[in-house]
Every structure is written in structure tokens, then in C-alpha cells.
Amino acid sequence: MSKVNRSRSRLSAAWLSFPIWAWLLFFIFIPLGMVAWYSFGYKPGLFSPVSNSQLSLDRYREATSGTFVQTFWNTLEIGLAGTALCILIGVPFAYWMAVKARPEWRGLLVAMVLVPYWTSFLVRTIGWQIILAPHGFFSNLLQDLHLINGPIDVLYTRAAVQLGVVYNYLPLMILPMYVAFERTDPAQREAARDLGAGRLKAFFSVTLPDALPGLLAGSLLVFIPLMGDYITPSVLGGARGNMVGQMLAQQFESAQNWALGAAMAFILMGFIIATVLLVGACFLVLRTGIRWTRRIDLEGVA
Amino acid sequence: MNATTVTTKGPPRKRLRDPFAVLYWLLAAGVFTFLFAPIVVIVIYSFNDGRLLGAWQGFGFKAYHRAVTDQTIRDAVKISLISGVFASLVATTLGTIGGVLLARTRSKWALILTALLAITLVTPEIIDAVSILPWFVTLGTDGHLLIFNNGLVRLVIVHTSVALATVTFMVQARMAGMDPAIEEAASDLYASAWNQMLPTGHLADGSPQHHGRSLDGLHPEPGTTPWCHHSWLCLAIHRGRSTSSAPSVRACDPKWQRSPH
């Protein structure tokens, strides 16, 4: 009975999987493949976005030279600084949520992180536009308090983009860290303290290594969408805060140079995948390192 | 023995004033202010009667009046709602199929599917958007498949694609935590494959999750992606849902079996 059931379900599983394969192929990988093909082409004239009659790597060369490469570096700096800031703010905050705050509040605290995150990305970013406006209420308030001398000069600069991305992606650091910390064992922390470790030592040598997968997931969840962000630099960045996402969207929209835009898209994607692999490798090395040093410690004790 | 030492030690230590507690409270207050500031500002400025967003010109409901009477805005809201609902439906359906498959089969195809979905996760949304544009043009204009010229259809397709990996991995995470014996019991009790799925609440997990973010897009769920073993969103949603879910659903749920709080 169960054998028949199982073989039948395996057969129907093969059929069931058809829609998702079809969707992936037809709406994600064929389009990506087309763009990959375009990236070897060129823009033949004013009214045509792409032609592949001559294949070359020139678009990749073009995308990695001059002003474009500057934007790539800007994006990378914003991405790394943004991820670092999210770690600095998000890790202690998540630790407080998961360990220090009263257990009956935790559900509410998670909800309070999720609600801003679920609010439209664009609307929140426009909220920052109002706050940072040089003649807005915040600027006036700071001037009335004599904290600054002139109107704040942040909007439409890189600083505004930096603030915006930290704001927009912070929940993606807090939530995985929260779950990771919540799963750490309080008894281990107590044991560490009883064995004479200070507060910080207990955190860095017991709790944080335990929560390392959360840190890794959080970093990737922040870094990946941040690198391709289009909305934040468009709303807050202006001419002084350009990012790659805007640049490649421009090639597909106003500039109508699909070949160049495609090359940029693949450079960005290759870069992101390389980063993911690099971070994964670092994680493995770190974990092996931690395990290795601990093993020696234990042997010494034994 | 152990338990008693912990309980006698616990309370007095807690009663001591923790110098770090103040720092934590400051941090928490700062982070929540930071997270809510632009939202509060937007809500307040929605009552601004001035023509410019940032320049306050007095309190009023002009913006709301315009929002409900202006035909363009009403159409835009309608399109957002419709595309959100349909993208949720399609993504949840496809993602549920994918998630169940990934949780229940261990073939090389399941690995390939995971890898492909992971690629869609690390693809920035802007690349999804720019890559699908020429494809829609090809299908609609060159291929004469007129349905792909419809903006609403395009929106539903792109949002589904962006959410697909998320929903799949979420459903997979939940399914992986569920005892297959429950499904076997259901099939022994003559439930069809579809009926076995329904009462366990996996759909309820994936769907609102995606719907809330349909317009924003990418919402990765690290539960089962190679770099992490946690499923934070399932947990978060679960917490919100657990109070309202029927006891029978709780009983099926591995999280309730593991942690009774």
C-alpha cells in the first residue's frame, strides 16, 4: 500500500515540478541568457538599442573604464561601509532583543522591526528626503539648537545614500542575528562567566561564534541587495551619490544602450557571486580556525 | 540539583543594577527611533496642505482628498493591489510546489533547482528588471504574444519571479521541520496529496510574507540556503500567528513541540 503510494507520489512529483522549472526557464533564465548575449554586442545607431552582428568584449572594456569604474568603486565602498554599519548597529541590538530584553516582549520587538521593513521601501526613503532637506524641520531644529551653523548639507550626497542604505537594510541584519542569538544556549554563557570570562570575553568567545551563521546570513542579506540598489541612490543620491544600479538602469532606459547595460549587469552579478563565495570561504576558514584553537585548548586541559 | 543552584543564583544576580542595561536601552531607543522616524515623518507630512512634499504649509486633508478622487492615483492603487494579489497567488502556488519538492526529494534535480533558485536570490532586482524588459519586447512585439504587452501581466510575472526563491525556501524550511509521518498518516486516512498539504499552514506562512513585500521585491529567506541553518522569517511569522492558530495546527508544528514557551 505505502509502496504503491510512494512510487505514485514520486511520479506525480516529477509532473508537479514542471511549472516551477518552466517558470524559472522562461521568465528568469532565458531573459538572463538574452542579456548575456547582448553584452557581447554593440549599439548600432541612435534608434536601435542593440545589435549582435559583430561580437566582442568591448562593452566589458567600456564598462570597466572611466566614469563607470568610478561608480563601481563608489558602490563597493557604500556596500562595504553599509554592511559594516549594519553589523555594528544590528548585532548588539539583536543581542539585546534575543537575550537581554524580557522574553514576553520579544514578539512585540520583532514585530516592531518588521513593521518598518514591510512598509514600502520607496515611501520610507522619501521620508528621509523630508528629514534631510536643507530647509526642512530637522535642519531648522538643529540650527535653532545651535548644533550646526548653516542648513544641513546631506541630501543628494553620498552620505545621504549611505544613511539610506543602512536604514533600508538594517532589519535584514537584525532579524537573522536575532534568531541566531535566540538559539544560543544561556547555560554556556553562564558557564563562561563562572569560569572567569568577562562580559565581553564571554560574548566574543562563546556567544558570537555560536551565532556566526546568523552573522554570515545577515551580511549577505544586506550586501547583495545593497549592491544592486536602485531606489535609495535615485531618491537620496542625486548627482553626487551614484550607484551601479542606477547606471545600468539608465543604459536600458534613457540611453537605450542595451549592450553596455548588459555588460554592466554581468560585471555586477559576477562581482556579487564572487563576494558570496569569498564570504563563504572566510566563514569556513574562521569556523575551522575556531574549532582548531579550541581543540588544542581542550587537549591542554585533558 | 543543577536546577536548584541555577534558581538560587538567578534572581539576586538579576536584581543587581546592570550598568550595561542603560546602554542597551539607549541603543534600543536609538534603533527604534531610526527605524520609525521616516515613517512618522511621512504620516505627519501627509497632512501637509502645501504643494511641495517637504515644505510645510499648514494642516489639512487636501492630499487625502486628491488621493481618493484623482483617477490616475486610483488606477495606480488598483493596479498595485491587483498585481500584488496575483503575484502572491502565483508565487505561493509555484513556491509551495518547489518547496515541497525540495524538502521531500533528494535527487540531483533538486540540487540543480536549489542552485538555480539561489542564483535568482543573488541577482539584484534591477538586473531581473532590465533582463526581462527585452524579453517582453521580443515576446510581445516580435512574437505577437499580445498578452506580454499588458503592463499588469508584466508586473505579475516580474514580482512572481523575484519572490519565487523566497517562497520556495520558506516552504522547504517548514516542510523539512515537519515529520513525514504526519503526511503518511494523512494518506493512510485517505487524504489526497493536496488535502495533506492544506491544514499544516505552510501556505499561510509564505503568502502574507510575500504579499507585504510584493511591490518592494526581494525578500530572501535564509532558512535553507547553503550559508545558514536558521529560518528567521518563519519564526517571526510563526510568533505572530501562533496565538491565533488552532491547537491542532500547533500540535503539528515542530516549533511548538521543541520549545513550549
Side-chain angles (χ1 to χ4, degrees):
Chain A
M1 167 88 197
S2 73
K3 235 181 197 173
V4 174
N5 249 344
R6 217 167 267 167
S7 69
R8 191 190 292 159
S9 77
R10 202 163 284 164
L11 192 71
S12 66
W15 277 109
L16 260 176
S17 69
F18 175 73
I20 190 165
W21 283 105
W23 190 282
L24 276 175
L25 189 70
F26 199 68
F27 289 127
I28 298 178
F29 286 97
I30 289 180
L32 277 179
M34 271 178 75
V35 172
W37 171 242
Y38 289 159
S39 70
F40 301 111
Y42 62 99
K43 182 174 169 65
L46 202 53
F47 300 106
S48 172
V50 68
S51 162
N52 275 83
S53 59
Q54 280 176 325
L55 300 179
S56 71
L57 287 171
D58 288 351
R59 298 296 83 69
Y60 285 93
R61 238 163 268 149
E62 201 177 326
T64 50
S65 63
T67 52
F68 297 132
V69 84
Q70 189 56 47
T71 310
F72 267 110
W73 283 119
N74 280 350
T75 309
L76 182 64
E77 280 173 27
I78 291 172
L80 291 176
T83 312
L85 283 168
C86 282
I87 291 175
L88 279 179
I89 302 169
V91 169
F93 181 75
Y95 183 74
W96 171 75
M97 269 171 76
V99 177
K100 296 287 169 184
R102 293 171 64 169
E104 58 267 34
W105 288 5
R106 283 180 199 155
L108 180 72
L109 293 174
V110 171
M112 278 174 71
V113 174
L114 281 174
V115 165
Y117 178 60
W118 278 339
T119 311
S120 165
F121 200 99
L122 180 63
V123 167
R124 287 180 292 152
T125 312
I126 290 173
W128 278 112
Q129 210 178 20
I130 300 176
I131 296 175
L132 297 177
H135 298 288
F137 75 94
F138 188 62
S139 176
N140 292 342
L141 180 76
L142 288 182
Q143 286 177 75
D144 291 345
L145 292 171
H146 296 290
L147 291 171
I148 49 173
N149 289 323
I152 47 173
D153 181 29
V154 174
L155 193 59
Y156 307 129
T157 65
R158 224 173 98 168
V161 179
Q162 189 71 68
L163 177 86
V165 292
V166 170
Y167 175 78
N168 279 325
Y169 298 109
L170 185 59
L172 289 172
M173 177 62 74
I174 292 175
L175 293 167
M177 278 318 291
Y178 167 76
V179 174
F181 279 135
E182 210 203 17
R183 291 188 179 186
T184 58
D185 189 355
Q188 280 189 6
R189 246 190 317 278
E190 267 183 38
R193 299 297 301 275
D194 289 349
L195 290 169
R199 207 183 272 276
L200 289 175
K201 171 122 181 148
F203 177 78
F204 282 108
S205 60
V206 175
T207 312
L208 195 61
D210 250 11
L212 217 51
L215 187 66
L216 187 74
S219 306
L220 291 175
L221 284 175
V222 169
F223 185 76
I224 293 167
L226 203 168
M227 286 300 284
D229 197 347
Y230 171 72
I231 293 176
T232 313
S234 304
V235 175
L236 298 174
R240 285 188 281 168
N242 238 325
M243 280 175 73
V244 175
Q246 270 170 304
M247 193 169 76
L248 73 92
Q250 234 165 36
Q251 297 304 325
F252 277 87
E253 288 166 351
S254 49
Q256 286 285 313
N257 188 344
W258 289 1
L260 184 58
M264 288 173 179
F266 276 90
I267 291 171
L268 177 61
M269 242 181 106
F271 194 80
I272 287 172
I273 290 173
T275 313
V276 170
L277 294 177
L278 191 74
V279 171
C282 285
F283 171 70
L284 286 178
V285 168
L286 202 62
R287 205 181 57 176
T288 323
I290 289 172
R291 283 186 182 167
W292 185 249
T293 51
R294 300 244 161 126
R295 192 187 296 149
I296 289 172
D297 274 351
L298 280 177
E299 274 167 6
V301 170
Chain B
M1 177 68 199
N2 233 346
T4 53
T5 55
V6 168
T7 47
T8 49
K9 251 187 179 175
R13 198 186 267 179
K14 251 185 194 168
R15 245 177 255 145
L16 288 172
R17 262 271 163 248
D18 187 349
F20 269 58
V22 183
L23 286 180
Y24 279 124
W25 276 107
L26 282 176
L27 175 75
V31 169
F32 280 126
T33 312
F34 181 57
L35 287 178
F36 279 94
I39 299 172
V40 171
V41 165
I42 278 281
V43 170
I44 294 172
Y45 272 75
S46 68
F47 297 104
N48 178 8
D49 263 356
R51 281 184 52 81
L52 288 170
L53 180 70
W56 184 266
Q57 299 210 329
F59 180 87
F61 293 93
K62 263 190 203 160
Y64 285 90
H65 177 73
R66 241 198 94 196
V68 292
T69 50
D70 189 314
Q71 198 54 44
T72 322
I73 296 173
R74 289 171 61 144
D75 288 345
V77 171
K78 209 164 85 185
I79 286 173
S80 295
L81 282 174
I82 294 173
S83 61
V85 167
F86 276 97
S88 301
L89 284 176
V90 180
T92 311
T93 312
L94 290 174
T96 306
I97 294 168
V100 172
L101 270 167
L102 290 184
R104 288 285 171 266
T105 56
R106 266 198 200 92
S107 61
K108 68 166 193 249
W109 290 106
L111 272 179
I112 296 172
L113 189 63
T114 309
L116 291 182
L117 287 168
I119 291 176
T120 69
L121 264 189
V122 300
T123 310
E125 275 166 65
I126 192 69
I127 295 181
D128 288 322
V130 295
S131 68
I132 198 97
L133 171 72
W135 181 234
F136 281 145
V137 173
T138 308
L139 288 174
T141 312
D142 307 337
H144 298 290
L145 295 165
L146 294 179
I147 188 168
F148 293 111
N149 290 337
N150 182 325
L152 192 58
V153 173
R154 290 180 172 195
L155 280 176
V156 171
I157 289 172
V158 175
H159 285 143
T160 302
S161 299
V162 167
L164 192 56
T166 310
V167 182
T168 306
F169 288 143
M170 275 177 84
V171 173
Q172 185 198 4
R174 295 304 302 272
M175 288 294 291
M178 198 176 86
D179 190 349
I182 293 172
E183 279 165 68
E184 273 170 35
S187 87
D188 286 349
L189 294 167
Y190 304 105
S192 68
W194 183 241
N195 278 341
Q196 288 170 32
M197 289 283 313
L198 289 179
T200 53
H202 305 307
L203 299 171
D205 267 354
S207 187
Q209 193 59 52
H210 161 49
H211 186 71
R213 298 267 304 155
S214 181
L215 293 172
D216 290 357
L218 197 64
H219 195 166
E221 204 295 309
T224 50
T225 40
W227 56 76
C228 175
H229 305 290
H230 301 305
S231 56
W232 50 270
L233 273 171
C234 295
L235 187 88
I237 290 299
H238 176 73
R239 280 171 182 262
R241 197 170 55 87
S242 57
T243 45
S244 60
S245 61
S248 59
V249 175
R250 281 192 208 175
C252 301
D253 195 307
K255 287 212 172 77
W256 274 95
Q257 290 165 0
R258 239 182 295 137
S259 57
H261 66 270

